[in-house]
Amino acid sequence: MATITYENASCIYENSDSLAVDRLNLDIEDGEFIVLVGPSGSGKSTALRMLAGLEDIDEGHIRIGGQDMVGVPSKDRDIAMVFQNYALYPNKTVGENMAFALKMRGVPADVRKKKVEDAAKLLDLTQFLDRKPAKLSGGQRQRVAMGRAIVREPQVFCMDEPLSNLDAKLRVQTRTQIAALQRRLGTTTVYVTHDQVEAMTMGDRVAVLKLGQLQQFASPTELYDRPANAFVAGFIGSPAMNLMTVPIVADGVRIGNSVLELERGQMTALHREDIDTVTVGIRPEHLELTTESGGIDAVVDLVEALGSESYVYTHIDGTDQQLVARSLSRTPARLADSVTLRKGSGSVHLFHPETGERIE
């Protein structure tokens, strides 16, 4: 187990005009489960590969347990990788796959056997040790890949979208198992995913990246409640936060034909910024459908019924601005209905209309 530090770590690919990872700074504590998340091309996998020694650190430093990894070969970093495609040997049994790295390092056969049996017990693979990978399900193969990493007892686990090849139900089950297993082992883990739900449910802290740059590094709760900028606000949460750039008026902001009143402190902050418009963010669960007047007039475009709740997708009457509201009713509205939306309990988030940065 070890701490990990990214210190202005950068990577640029050959013949590229921009950095794949741009001066990344992260301090990861011993035993933490950290998730790197972002859209395609955000640099999250590159950042992980830099840690693993599979990509060069062109500028800055990455330290594992205080030791600088610049120039250190991957094999000497004491890390274990778990990939998306499992990378199992088809001609070897589960037990042989899990023991292979230990065999290459010259670990005695009895020690290898004990480590494999212990890992198989942790992963509920004992009954499959004599099977070949072709006889296993996708979830079982991923657990074999995990077992191969566990038997090495590394300082750090590096996991690059390990659940992407699994179906939805199995992905939920396996991510629960991985998170629980990591907490039992206490091994520092860096996990890459493009799925923000995965990131929010698994990580102790989450690093959100965009175009190679760190946007925010915080706990899942803080990311959700206090996003640092409009990008994080729109990326974290499903459905995404409603974001609209609207004019500022005397008591708040104008949305459609209605005025959304803001708190006094928020109005003071807006006056301090000296701007005429602001990007407002409201989560769907903080908007409610009402039959009373005084809300935002909208037209229903889609109702997404999920059983225990529904999400109503609308556009503001007379504009192309879209709003999503959550309803606990099974039949809150129908397609093309006119509805009124009103802000319920919950925060209104304000972001600068040009920089996207949060306005406190």
Side-chain angles (χ1 to χ4, degrees), residues 47-342:
L48 184 76
R49 291 170 65 84
M50 290 165 68
L51 173 64
L54 303 178
E55 298 291 350
D56 291 334
I57 304 167
D58 294 317
E59 293 180 13
H61 302 274
I62 295 178
R63 295 184 174 86
I64 300 177
Q67 181 183 353
D68 196 341
M69 292 293 109
V70 175
V72 177
S74 181
K75 64 183 180 65
D76 297 329
R77 297 194 181 194
D78 195 16
I79 58 96
M81 287 283 296
V82 180
F83 297 98
Q84 176 180 342
N85 61 0
Y86 320 136
L88 303 178
Y89 296 105
N91 61 325
K92 299 182 184 297
T93 66
V94 167
E96 290 169 342
N97 266 283
M98 291 170 64
F100 186 74
L102 299 179
K103 184 177 180 180
M104 292 296 97
R105 289 160 65 181
V107 175
D110 57 334
V111 177
R112 294 200 306 266
K113 182 180 179 182
K114 178 69 165 56
K115 287 180 178 290
V116 167
E117 287 175 348
D118 289 346
K121 188 175 180 181
L122 270 177
L123 295 163
D124 196 23
L125 289 171
T126 303
Q127 66 270 40
F128 304 118
L129 286 175
D130 294 327
R131 288 194 192 179
K132 299 286 180 66
K135 302 293 185 182
L136 302 177
S137 69
Q140 289 164 344
R141 292 179 198 178
Q142 193 55 271
R143 279 186 280 153
V144 175
M146 285 286 299
R148 184 176 53 193
I150 289 169
V151 298
R152 293 182 54 195
E153 298 178 352
Q155 290 189 91
V156 176
F157 287 137
C158 294
M159 301 188 187
D160 193 1
E161 304 210 36
L163 307 184
S164 293
N165 288 340
L166 305 182
D167 63 63
K169 183 177 180 180
L170 191 55
R171 191 159 60 240
V172 172
Q173 177 185 337
T174 307
R175 79 184 182 211
T176 303
Q177 293 170 341
I178 289 176
L181 180 64
Q182 190 275 339
R183 280 154 181 74
R184 288 180 64 182
L185 296 173
T187 305
T188 308
T189 300
V190 181
Y191 185 104
V192 163
T193 182
H194 63 275
D195 185 338
Q196 56 92 14
V197 175
E198 237 172 67
M200 295 288 282
T201 54
M202 296 180 74
D204 295 320
R205 286 190 291 168
V206 179
V208 183
L209 282 81
K210 175 188 177 186
L211 299 177
Q213 296 184 330
L214 180 66
Q215 303 297 304
Q216 190 170 1
F217 184 38
S219 69
T221 302
E222 186 174 349
L223 286 178
Y224 194 83
D225 291 341
R226 294 184 59 78
N229 55 43
F231 174 79
V232 176
F235 189 79
I236 298 296
S238 181
M241 181 186 289
N242 295 296
L243 292 169
M244 303 159 288
T245 300
V246 293
I248 301 168
V249 294
D251 298 323
V253 293
R254 181 171 295 282
I255 301 177
N257 294 321
S258 302
V259 173
L260 174 65
E261 294 186 0
L262 299 177
E263 297 175 1
R264 188 171 182 176
Q266 290 180 313
M267 292 303 299
T268 301
L270 291 179
H271 289 311
R272 192 165 52 239
E273 292 288 335
D274 192 26
I275 51 179
D276 297 322
T277 62
V278 64
T279 299
V280 174
I282 307 174
R283 295 230 176 255
E285 61 267 31
H286 299 151
L287 278 178
E288 55 189 34
L289 276 69
T290 178
T291 57
E292 300 175 9
S293 60
I296 303 167
D297 294 327
V299 178
V300 177
D301 296 323
L302 173 70
V303 177
E304 192 176 63
L306 302 177
S308 61
E309 61 188 9
S310 299
Y311 286 100
V312 182
Y313 293 75
T314 72
H315 69 270
I316 298 175
D317 200 9
T319 76
D320 59 357
Q321 289 181 320
Q322 297 181 324
L323 287 172
V324 183
R326 185 177 71 177
S327 173
L328 299 180
S329 169
R330 289 188 174 218
T331 55
R334 287 183 289 186
L335 183 65
D337 278 357
S338 294
V339 296
T340 302
L341 302 177
R342 185 175 61 188

